[in-house]
Amino acid sequence: MSAVTKADTAVRAPAPEVEPSSDVANWSPTWTGRLRSAGLRRLPPEKLLPDSQPAYVQSAVYLFGALTLSAFGVVVLSGMVLAIEGANWWHVSNAGLFVNSIHLWGTELFFFFMVLHLWGKFFMAAWRGRRRATWITGVLAFVVSIATAFTGYLSQQNFDSEWISTQAKDGINATGAGAFWNVLNFGQMLLWHVVLLPLVVAVFVGIHVLLVRRRGVVPPFALAARGATGWSDTTEREDLTKDEAAEATSTEEVASK
Amino acid sequence: MSKRFNPDRDVAEWHGPAIRYDLLKEVTVGFAVVLVLALVFAVVFSSPDESAITLQSWSKAAPVDFVQTAITELDGTSASATYGAPYNHTPGTGQQLGPISIERAIGVHIPLDTSRAFVIDPLETLPRQPALTSAIRQYKSAPAKQQTAWTSAYEKVVGKATFNGALHVAPGSYGPVAPMMTALLGMARSGALDGALTKTPQLYGTDYTKPLLFIADGTYMGNVAQSRNLLGNQWGMMNETGQYPGQAWLWLYTLWYQVPPMNSSSNGDVEVWAIMMGLTVLLALVPFIPGLRSIPRWTRIYRLIWRRHYRSLPPVSS
Ligand code: HEM
């Protein structure tokens, strides 16, 4: 609390301009203030929305992440249009069938770009330099996306969903999950498909992309030219447990030997 | 914390020049490109929407298969009736991995008694059919041994039954079972059985477990699926009706069903799941696994990806 009490301000007229800068400095940090400064420290605006990149960022492979994200956007938007008139709409309307087709092909493109992205990042070893969490959130997004697409196939109310659900039940039941996650229950699968799973994908993708912005784009393997223009001998160490401590000293430059 | 520099885990820092880059533009253009691609594919290829098989369409297209299946639902020998967890208690069922069966441990959670749920309960909803009512009463009050004698006698001959507007089964001592089956077939062909199996006490329903299990117990749906290349041994898990790419990303999952021992194991499903979960964990942990995480450096595909960058580097000074 500020040292200036209500009584103090009341006797002074007119009220002084707010000048408690020294007091503010003494306040114990609020949750809000901590959140803001942590956010700014980790993701300053120029990192969050960069308008420059290191010169090595020159390859079409870098586009696959953005294309995956774009396809996810197309899938979510077309899914929302499908939701407007409800689950039966696209079976009885040509416009609905067209939107469903966009939803299907958006999904195919989503997975196509994601797999290219995955292999691209693998061959770039893009987990180097404290980017392991980026890789792991990518894998999680991949796995949950598969579950989302699967529930989509189950929600089609046609022969495909009928066949897929009656076949897949044995696999799901074999794991024990079938007792609670009933692929033959259309209502349950539809809700997982349109609410729960997309939300989880979005959360993982969100963390994934923010991590990319925070860590910056992974530098190439240094070849023999290390030490030549552009390269320094300083290395970054990744230590997941000591991450936060390291963070406090400096955002990126850690452990020069 | 003084670990040695590991090229597969650490990076040398870059202090070189930067290039102009427009994140917002990239994302906007990317979105436009993908949207146009999706629109083009949608216009050219549309999307499949083949109607689901109903109990009505099944019993109209293959009445004998329907009755053959229905009799096994009544006497509890169908695939669903003997499934085990999560539908019913059936000794010796439940897939296991080594000694462990999670399926069995969790037990029955979606209880299903096919005899009641698929045959007797629906028949009892039919109004004003005194002959049928007394047949059902006779069946229900008979000792189990007598019930089995009727149903197995019927089962033996029903495969040779014919249908020409009415079901013709060779005469035999089936007791009340014959009129019950005839009535159930009529009910299915009228569409009433589809309604009865999805009926809920509160009018609204979204659960199709019962009709789907019933339909899957017959051979008709499997034959339709086979003609569409959708069977498991046709890599069907990743196919769709028509010429559509389907769930191509399930190729690895599907692959394991094609190879021994999973392609013939009674525990195949749980084995494939275990393999896939293991591989998924492995994929997530690639950055931590020595050897695996060195593959990118060894294969040198990165030189291709970053070739413009490497070409722009000054030659190594000796
Ligand atoms: C929903 C799926 C995904 C989306 C929307 C997505 C999106 C992105 C985006 C926009 C980037 C930055 C641009 C780029 O380098 O391409 C990126 C980077 C990255 N992604 Fe993904 N990604 C997804 C799935 C995956 C998967 C499955 C993996 C790997 C298993 C992965 C691993 C990575 C890594 C390691 C980076 C960092 C690259 C670097 O630092 O240079 N991502 N992702």
Side-chain angles (χ1 to χ4, degrees):
Chain A
M1 255 306 201
S2 153
V4 183
T5 65
K6 259 191 188 155
D8 287 336
T9 48
V11 286
R12 277 189 237 146
E17 279 191 24
V18 187
E19 44 155 71
S21 57
S22 60
D23 294 320
V24 170
N26 291 332
W27 289 349
S28 64
T30 56
W31 290 2
T32 315
R34 274 188 221 175
L35 178 69
R36 185 187 59 224
S37 48
L40 282 174
R41 194 171 63 239
R42 288 166 200 205
L43 269 175
E46 62 278 11
K47 270 195 172 188
L48 188 62
L49 293 172
D51 50 10
S52 78
Q53 286 290 299
Y56 55 77
V57 182
Q58 291 183 53
S59 167
V61 176
Y62 286 108
L63 295 176
F64 295 141
L67 289 172
T68 313
L69 195 62
S70 302
F72 186 56
V74 170
V75 171
V76 170
L77 288 176
S78 55
M80 285 175 159
V81 177
L82 283 177
I84 292 173
E85 288 202 51
N88 282 334
W89 176 56
W90 72 270
H91 299 281
V92 296
S93 142
N94 282 331
L97 181 64
F98 182 62
V99 177
N100 180 71
S101 306
I102 298 174
H103 196 59
L104 170 70
W105 288 104
T107 307
E108 297 287 347
L109 289 166
F110 173 65
F111 278 97
F112 177 73
F113 290 131
M114 192 183 338
V115 169
L116 289 179
H117 175 65
L118 190 161
W119 285 112
K121 295 304 148 187
F122 176 77
F123 285 113
M124 291 155 101
W127 53 75
R128 289 170 297 134
R130 309 172 69 199
R131 289 172 182 82
R132 289 161 165 176
T134 315
W135 174 268
I136 292 171
T137 49
V139 173
L140 289 171
F142 179 49
V143 172
V144 183
S145 297
I146 290 176
T148 313
F150 174 64
T151 54
Y153 277 86
L154 300 180
S155 303
Q156 289 182 95
Q157 308 153 282
N158 58 20
F159 182 67
D160 275 314
S161 19
E162 186 175 37
W163 176 251
I164 293 170
S165 62
T166 50
Q167 295 304 295
K169 74 174 194 306
D170 300 329
I172 312 283
N173 286 340
T175 66
F180 313 99
W181 204 69
N182 181 5
V183 294
L184 304 176
N185 185 335
F186 162 71
Q188 187 185 10
M189 291 304 112
L190 181 67
L191 289 172
W192 276 78
H193 180 66
V194 302
V195 184
L196 301 176
L197 290 170
L199 213 61
V200 178
V201 174
V203 167
F204 283 141
V205 169
I207 299 174
H208 182 71
V209 172
L210 288 180
L211 279 171
V212 176
R213 296 275 48 98
R214 181 177 173 204
R215 300 293 185 211
V217 179
V218 74
F221 286 107
L223 294 191
R226 192 146 73 92
T229 332
W231 295 106
S232 84
D233 275 344
T234 41
T235 62
E236 284 180 47
R237 294 272 191 273
E238 181 172 43
D239 185 334
L240 293 174
T241 54
K242 303 223 172 82
D243 201 27
E244 293 314 306
E247 209 64 46
T249 28
S250 135
T251 22
E252 287 297 319
E253 259 146 317
V254 188
S256 48
K257 46 175 180 174
Chain B
M1 215 177 112
S2 57
K3 280 192 228 155
R4 252 176 3 100
F5 179 89
N6 180 331
D8 302 320
R9 184 191 62 208
D10 311 311
V11 288
E13 241 178 275
W14 170 257
H15 297 294
I19 49 170
R20 195 166 163 271
Y21 170 77
D22 196 338
L23 178 70
L24 193 60
K25 191 170 161 192
E26 178 181 310
V27 171
T28 309
V29 173
F31 181 79
V33 167
V34 176
L35 185 63
V36 168
L37 278 176
L39 285 170
V40 168
F41 280 121
V43 168
V44 176
F45 299 111
S46 187
S47 51
D49 191 18
E50 189 174 325
S51 295
I53 294 168
T54 61
L55 288 152
Q56 183 176 29
S57 67
W58 170 27
S59 57
K60 281 188 159 173
V64 174
D65 181 47
F66 173 82
V67 178
Q68 258 183 311
T69 309
I71 187 73
T72 61
E73 306 292 8
L74 178 63
D75 71 4
T77 56
S78 71
S80 295
T82 57
Y83 194 93
Y87 308 125
N88 35 50
H89 298 281
T90 309
T93 59
Q95 297 199 16
Q96 48 191 64
L97 206 56
I100 303 162
S101 171
I102 310 174
E103 187 174 7
R104 221 163 28 227
I106 292 176
V108 176
H109 255 252
I110 306 168
L112 176 69
D113 169 356
T114 59
S115 177
R116 284 211 69 90
F118 290 175
V119 183
I120 294 173
D121 287 351
L123 285 179
E124 283 180 336
T125 65
L126 290 177
R128 280 189 293 280
Q129 303 224 12
L132 178 62
T133 311
S134 65
I136 297 170
R137 197 176 310 125
Q138 187 191 359
Y139 182 83
K140 287 208 294 194
S141 56
K145 222 171 134 194
Q146 175 65 66
Q147 291 177 339
T148 315
W150 288 327
T151 55
S152 38
Y154 192 83
E155 242 175 288
K156 272 199 200 95
V157 297
V158 70
K160 294 195 192 75
T162 55
F163 186 87
N164 57 355
L167 187 71
H168 299 286
V169 185
S173 47
Y174 318 129
V177 165
M180 284 168 75
M181 287 297 111
T182 307
L184 196 72
L185 177 62
M187 198 179 172
R189 290 170 66 87
S190 76
L193 189 56
D194 288 296
L197 289 189
T198 47
K199 193 167 71 81
T200 68
Q202 73 273 27
L203 176 66
Y204 293 97
T206 55
D207 184 358
Y208 293 82
T209 305
K210 283 182 197 164
L212 286 172
L213 285 175
F214 196 162
I215 293 169
D217 283 338
T219 57
Y220 177 69
M221 181 167 68
N223 291 340
V224 173
Q226 184 168 29
S227 69
R228 312 282 193 279
N229 293 318
L230 294 178
L231 291 194
N233 56 17
Q234 296 169 306
W235 294 75
M237 236 166 281
M238 48 187 282
N239 291 348
E240 251 188 304
T241 50
Q243 297 300 314
Y244 290 90
Q247 304 186 77
W249 45 90
L250 293 184
W251 70 272
L252 189 57
Y253 177 71
T254 312
L255 169 76
W256 299 113
Y257 280 98
Q258 321 298 322
V259 298
M262 279 77 70
N263 59 358
S264 57
S265 163
S266 58
N267 295 315
D269 290 306
V270 72
E271 287 162 6
V272 170
W273 267 87
I275 292 174
M276 287 308 288
M277 284 180 179
L279 288 178
T280 304
V281 172
L282 207 64
L283 180 67
L285 297 184
V286 159
F288 299 87
I289 302 171
L292 219 51
R293 65 179 176 188
S294 304
I295 293 175
R297 194 162 43 88
W298 294 335
T299 52
R300 297 181 150 223
I301 291 174
Y302 69 89
R303 290 211 184 199
L304 205 67
I305 296 174
W306 277 307
R307 66 186 177 284
R308 278 163 78 191
H309 163 69
Y310 289 128
R311 225 180 283 139
S312 73
L313 287 181
V316 191
S317 49
S318 51

